[in-house]
Amino acid sequence: MQLEWARPGVLRVTSHAYEFAALVASARYVTENPPPEIPEEALEQLRGVLADYEEQAARLAR
């Protein structure tokens, strides 16, 4: 995995598909089975990131 700043506040991530799949699977697991100590605001942000991912993945499949 490689991370670099595209501009302030924006990261560019280059990863293998399996690395990214592991991150997405982990995010899904946490949103579906959240530990009690995770704030609701953090869960909502993570759900938003997953929704954006789903939208972009669907775009790529066209």
Side-chain angles (χ1 to χ4, degrees), residues 20-38 42-43 46-47 50 53-54:
F20 195 74
L23 291 172
V24 171
S26 298
R28 284 190 177 130
Y29 179 80
V30 168
T31 59
E32 293 171 5
N33 305 291
E37 65 270 11
I38 295 181
L43 285 172
L46 190 53
R47 289 179 183 121
L50 287 171
Y53 165 77
E54 294 295 337

Side-chain angles (χ1 to χ4, degrees), residues 2 5-6 9 11 14-15 17 19 24 26-27 29 35 50 52 57 61:
Q2 182 180 7
W5 289 108
L11 286 172
T14 304
S15 71
E19 292 171 317
V24 171
S26 298
Y29 179 80
L50 287 171
D52 290 346

